[in-house]
Structures are given as structure tokens and as C-alpha cells.
Amino acid sequence: MRILAVSDVPSEYLWGPGVREGLRGTDLILSCGDLDPEYLSFLVSFTSAPLLYVRGNHDQRYEATPPEGCECVDGRLIVCKGLRILGLGGSIRYNRSGPPYQYTQAEMRRRVRKLWLSLQRRGGFDILLTHSAAFGLGDGEDQAHVGFMAFRELLDRWTPPLFVHGHTHLNYDTGYKRLYFYGQTQIVNAYGRYAFEL
């Protein structure tokens, strides 16, 4: 299965005349957040592949203007194309106002706990789709980019084949990696766009 992951900044290649070529052969699009809803709607208008998304910490517009033709999987476990996909959007809370889609470590743990029965019934999940990285796995040291411990605990408990996230922009720090492994789980930083086979 060919998957296209997108996050944080629109790809100039896809947000223009190259979109048809860029989407050719794509079976599934995963959005990790912080993208304009118009961009996601534009992408799905050029493909029959489903587009699943979670919200990033800058996606307040999604409430009033959700991306058309796309499915929000934030806070849900769904099955799409035979894959069990667990979606958890948002980032660590890094300012006092606590805007939407920013969570403390404890709040994210509670969000995961609400999904535990679904996870047990389905026997786990195949893809963890998030905005933020897991704690200590591709996250940042600054307050806004610390990852969630609950994500790492999910990886330890269920060992999914794939974890896709955004939020840590690859141009922020040369230490960030596009691809890496945590045990048997392949981790993909979807910043911009990245296509791969699963």
C-alpha cells in the first residue's frame, strides 16, 4: 500500500500543477495537522484515496471549516483499507491560555485511556497517527515540542508497524530525522510531504 503523509507546511509540489503526478498511485493520505483545510480539500479533489487527519495545535479553523471530503480520526480508532488507525491530535500545552488542541501529559493519557476498550476489542492498531512526536522519540527539548509519554506507552504496549507524526519541523534542527525505528515500529516524521510503502 502506498501512503502519502503530510504535515505542517503545504508541499509546493502538491499545492500546484504537480499535484496529479504527486498523488499518482497513492492509496491513503494521512495528515498530521497544522495544514489549512483548503489544502487538504484540494488534495482529495485530485484522488480517490481517502484522506484521514488529526488536528495540530494550530488547527482551530477546522471547527468552523473542516476539510471537505476528508475524515477526522482525532480521538478515534477506525479501520480503513484493512488497517486499524488510531488518531490523536494536538501538542503539549505550552502556553497558559491552553488553546484548543494543547494538552498536558495527564490530559493526553486520559484521552488514550478512553480508547483502551476499543484497542482491546480490535487487538491493538496498525498505525498511530498523531500531530506530536512521542516523548524521547523525535520530539524537541523546547517547551512547545516535547512529545507525549502516552504515545510511547502505546508503542511499548501494542508495537504497531507504523507511527506517523508531524509538529517537529525538519528545518528546525538538523538532529530531527525523517525516518527511524523504535523496536519494530517504523516512525515517520511527515513534515511537508513524504510518500512510502507499507
Side-chain angles (χ1 to χ4, degrees):
M1 175 180 290
R2 184 171 175 77
I3 297 175
L4 173 66
V6 295
S7 190
D8 299 292
V9 296
S11 162
E12 291 182 16
Y13 179 59
L14 294 175
W15 194 224
V19 63
R20 287 186 197 279
E21 182 61 32
L23 294 174
R24 183 170 287 129
T26 298
D27 299 302
L28 177 64
I29 303 172
L30 301 175
S31 172
C32 299
D34 281 359
L35 290 166
D36 287 339
E38 296 83 3
Y39 176 64
L40 299 186
S41 300
F42 175 78
L43 292 180
V44 296
S45 69
F46 287 95
T47 181
S48 60
L51 190 155
L52 309 177
Y53 71 91
V54 294
R55 299 174 187 96
N57 54 303
H58 298 297
D59 286 334
Q60 292 86 342
R61 288 181 53 201
Y62 282 38
E63 293 300 323
T65 315
E68 294 179 18
C70 307
E71 183 176 0
C72 180
V73 295
D74 202 342
R76 299 171 57 204
L77 174 63
I78 69 152
V79 176
C80 179
K81 295 199 170 256
L83 296 170
R84 299 163 299 172
I85 301 170
L86 176 61
L88 289 161
S91 74
I92 196 77
R93 181 168 294 161
Y94 58 87
N95 56 30
R96 287 184 195 200
S97 62
Y101 319 127
Q102 287 188 25
Y103 304 94
T104 64
Q105 296 285 359
E107 288 169 337
M108 186 57 76
R109 273 207 173 97
R110 283 194 291 274
R111 293 185 77 207
V112 169
R113 209 172 305 130
K114 287 179 183 177
L115 295 162
W116 208 251
L117 185 56
S118 295
L119 287 167
Q120 294 280 21
R121 284 183 182 153
R122 295 245 184 232
F125 57 97
D126 302 300
I127 299 175
L128 178 58
L129 174 64
T130 70
H131 179 60
S132 289
F135 183 79
L137 298 172
D139 62 344
E141 295 181 6
D142 61 299
Q143 186 177 357
H145 294 91
V146 170
F148 285 109
M149 291 182 277
F151 296 170
R152 191 163 182 153
E153 291 159 4
L154 281 167
L155 300 180
D156 288 337
R157 170 67 179 86
W158 298 104
T159 319
L162 184 63
F163 172 28
V164 184
H165 70 84
H167 193 52
T168 48
H169 296 205
L170 294 175
N171 62 348
Y172 282 173
D173 183 331
T174 56
Y176 292 148
K177 295 179 184 175
R178 170 74 77 187
L179 300 170
Y180 47 104
F181 277 87
Y182 178 64
Q184 298 300 307
T185 302
Q186 180 176 7
I187 301 176
V188 175
N189 182 332
Y191 173 75
R193 70 176 169 93
Y194 186 71
F196 57 98
E197 301 285 336
L198 178 65

